[in-house]
Amino acid sequence: MSAVRGRSNLCLVSGLALLVVCGAVSAPACAEADLPGTTGLEVENPALLARQAELLAAMLRDPANLDIAFEYAALSARIGDLEAAVGTLERMLVFAPDQPRIRLELGALYFRLGSFDMARTHFEAVSQTPSVPEEVAARAATFLTEIDGQEAPATLSATLMTGVRYQTNANAGPGGRVVVLNGLPYLLDNTSSGKPDWNVFVAGNVHGAYDLGNQGDLLEADLLFYGGRYLDITRLNTELAELTVGPSFNLARFDIDDARLGVYGIIGGVRLNEGNYSGALGAGTRFAILPSSLSSVTGRVEFRRRWFRDTLTYPTISNRDGYQLLAQITHTRQVTENWAVRGKLLGDFEEASANFEQSWELGVALGATYSFASPIERLDLPWLLDADAGYIRREFAAPNPSVSLTESEYDNEFWLRGAVTVPLRFDVALALSAEFRRMQSNYQIKDFSNFSTALSVIKTF
């Protein structure tokens, strides 16, 4: 039965790798949570728009009142009216040219607008101001470091996660040892039915970019990797890596602001149970656009030609040789300063040399993130609470003769996931996650449930 279980086991482990890395990338440890002006905006809040109008009228009546002007600038920045905020702070400098806090906020606004030269001018002025408060100088220095990175022709960043995970059904096996194959009951061996286990893992993503000097076009490369070691079920020990390389283009040349389109090549491989399991070559395209200051839309379409290598553990896995075509689109929206929601649609088609391994799937996932002040006084950065739910429908092209001579496999896969991320400092965070996954299948050998929990440390570079 090991050949039958191969697909589920690999999907489970590979899914963990993608989940771990995606979770790491979105963690606050690698975000700009400590930079002013980078929190969620509320451009469509009628109460804030009304308050902005009131402050504008008050400011016109009393232009020398810095308290009113500063509140107006802060509120304008909050609702996304950056030009109004910049103009107000510039006028405030006429009345108070030596105020480092005004220059700090003005520099932050220019940074958000992408005017790095103007932003640098104000941040350097803050640093050179005598007796500047320590926290103001530190924030200005943080911005200057970020500008240096943004202006460098080549940049390199990375996210690394390591941790421990427990699963109630690590090998995605059926709940009982007796299954029906071709109408007859069979007794599975101990390695095929569902078993709990612990594993340690390390996962990460390394991103490199080189400015091509042509209207913001970049040459980008991403290396995704994962490695896991199990306490008991060592045949699930896994290493995988995938490299994507290609240019991405700034679409502003076509009057599409805040949008990028990339094309890239793909090379990847998986090792399972200390042996080469599969390899892939392919190509893809991805896009990202910010329709407003509150939302983002990302998507990708990828093609891979995959080869699988038969082993003693998975002696017929080469039946899956063929191509894969997948697509997904994700929309994320900042609802309030603390709440963000997201939705994802995905599709996948896997051609295979054996018809019973050929399949298609469609899925949807919904999620939300809540950011809240740290309940621990010594930890200044906000914590994140994530919740996600998803569903995938999967159907196969032909019956698997080892399971049924008449009925093709179809699956309904559901999952619920929650996580809390605790930043210890701007580049290090702890994450505690839990997930329940249910696979309902007409093939009893593929029907399983699994609960998992993981504790991990995230480091960004």
Side-chain angles (χ1 to χ4, degrees):
M1 293 304 157
S2 58
V4 177
R5 303 277 352 131
R7 185 186 186 101
S8 298
N9 292 338
L10 179 62
C11 289
L12 184 68
V13 177
S14 301
L16 170 62
L18 296 176
L19 174 66
V20 164
V21 174
C22 290
V25 170
S26 64
C30 60
E32 298 171 331
D34 60 332
L35 302 183
T38 59
T39 56
L41 306 178
E42 299 185 53
V43 67
E44 298 175 356
N45 190 316
L48 295 183
L49 292 173
R51 178 58 179 165
Q52 184 193 31
E54 293 174 2
L55 290 170
L56 177 60
M59 189 172 61
L60 293 176
R61 290 193 301 268
D62 188 5
N65 189 321
L66 297 185
D67 290 336
I68 294 176
F70 198 86
E71 184 181 354
Y72 175 79
L75 185 60
S76 297
R78 183 178 178 184
I79 63 178
D81 193 353
L82 302 187
E83 289 76 9
V86 167
T88 302
L89 291 176
E90 291 281 13
R91 288 192 295 272
M92 290 175 67
L93 282 179
V94 175
F95 295 98
D98 298 324
Q99 285 293 323
R101 291 185 183 275
I102 296 177
R103 287 196 177 274
L104 176 67
E105 298 304 328
L106 189 55
L109 289 171
Y110 278 120
F111 181 90
R112 287 173 59 184
L113 288 168
S115 300
F116 294 145
D117 289 340
M118 291 295 296
R120 182 186 294 277
T121 298
H122 290 290
F123 293 137
E124 289 178 345
V126 169
S127 301
Q128 295 165 7
T129 301
S131 304
V132 61
E134 182 177 348
E135 68 275 11
V136 174
R139 294 178 78 191
T142 299
F143 269 114
L144 287 170
T145 300
E146 181 67 18
I147 290 173
D148 289 339
Q150 293 278 358
E151 293 182 336
T155 60
L156 186 67
S157 61
T159 301
L160 181 67
M161 173 184 280
T162 185
V164 61
R165 185 187 194 213
Y166 174 76
Q167 301 177 79
T168 59
N169 189 351
N171 59 331
R177 292 185 59 189
V178 178
V179 297
V180 177
L181 303 177
N182 282 308
L184 299 175
Y186 280 84
L187 180 65
L188 299 177
D189 58 34
N190 287 328
T191 63
S192 297
S193 58
K195 297 294 181 184
D197 203 357
W198 292 83
N199 75 292
V200 294
F201 62 86
V202 59
N205 182 49
V206 180
H207 176 76
Y210 183 81
D211 190 341
L212 297 175
N214 182 27
Q215 303 183 60
D217 297 339
L218 302 172
L219 178 64
E220 295 187 284
D222 285 275
L223 175 63
L224 171 73
F225 60 89
Y226 170 83
R229 288 293 179 270
Y230 285 78
L231 182 63
D232 295 321
I233 313 176
T234 56
R235 63 187 176 87
L236 295 182
N237 290 345
T238 307
E239 303 90 33
L240 68 84
E242 183 170 271
L243 176 67
T244 62
V245 181
S248 68
F249 305 99
N250 185 353
L251 299 184
R253 56 167 58 86
F254 302 113
D255 296 324
I256 306 176
D257 296 329
D258 300 318
R260 301 192 70 83
L261 176 68
V263 293
Y264 50 91
I266 302 170
I267 181 172
V270 178
R271 285 177 56 83
L272 196 59
N273 193 27
E274 313 304 329
N276 293 333
Y277 184 85
S278 69
L281 291 174
T285 181
R286 59 188 167 217
F287 71 90
I289 186 171
L290 303 178
S292 72
S293 57
L294 287 171
S295 63
S296 66
V297 178
T298 61
R300 61 189 174 103
V301 178
E302 295 178 341
F303 172 88
R304 290 173 176 81
R305 179 63 172 91
R306 305 184 302 175
W307 296 268
F308 293 84
R309 177 175 174 268
D310 292 335
T311 64
L312 291 176
T313 306
Y314 306 105
T316 61
I317 199 64
S318 60
N319 285 334
R320 294 187 60 196
D321 283 357
Y323 69 85
Q324 177 192 35
L325 182 65
L326 65 85
Q328 69 175 47
I329 185 169
T330 303
H331 181 209
T332 302
R333 181 170 179 81
Q334 192 78 34
V335 181
T336 69
E337 186 172 349
N338 300 102
W339 281 97
V341 296
R342 58 192 170 271
K344 178 187 293 187
L345 296 175
L346 57 94
D348 177 88
F349 176 76
E350 298 186 15
E351 185 264 348
S353 59
N355 285 342
F356 61 83
E357 291 285 11
Q358 183 169 298
S359 67
W360 63 264
E361 63 183 48
L362 294 174
V364 61
L366 300 173
T369 299
Y370 177 65
S371 173
F372 58 98
S374 170
I376 301 177
E377 185 176 350
R378 295 184 61 182
L379 301 178
D380 298 330
L381 297 176
W383 294 17
L384 290 183
L385 185 63
D386 287 282
D388 294 274
Y391 165 74
I392 290 176
R393 170 69 175 190
R394 183 181 302 109
E395 293 192 7
F396 289 76
N400 185 334
S402 66
V403 181
S404 173
L405 297 176
T406 59
E407 190 174 18
S408 300
E409 178 185 350
Y410 59 85
D411 305 324
N412 294 297
E413 187 172 0
F414 308 85
W415 70 90
L416 293 172
R417 177 180 177 269
V420 59
T421 306
V422 180
L424 303 181
R425 61 185 196 189
F426 77 95
D427 62 341
V428 177
L430 290 177
L432 177 64
S433 64
E435 179 188 85
F436 175 76
R437 187 169 294 264
R438 176 75 176 99
M439 175 79 86
Q440 292 180 340
S441 178
N442 65 321
Y443 279 18
Q444 190 177 0
I445 194 74
K446 297 288 190 71
D447 194 279
F448 73 90
S449 298
N450 182 44
F451 175 80
S452 64
T453 183
L455 177 64
S456 54
V457 179
I458 306 165
K459 175 72 171 72
T460 59
F461 302 89

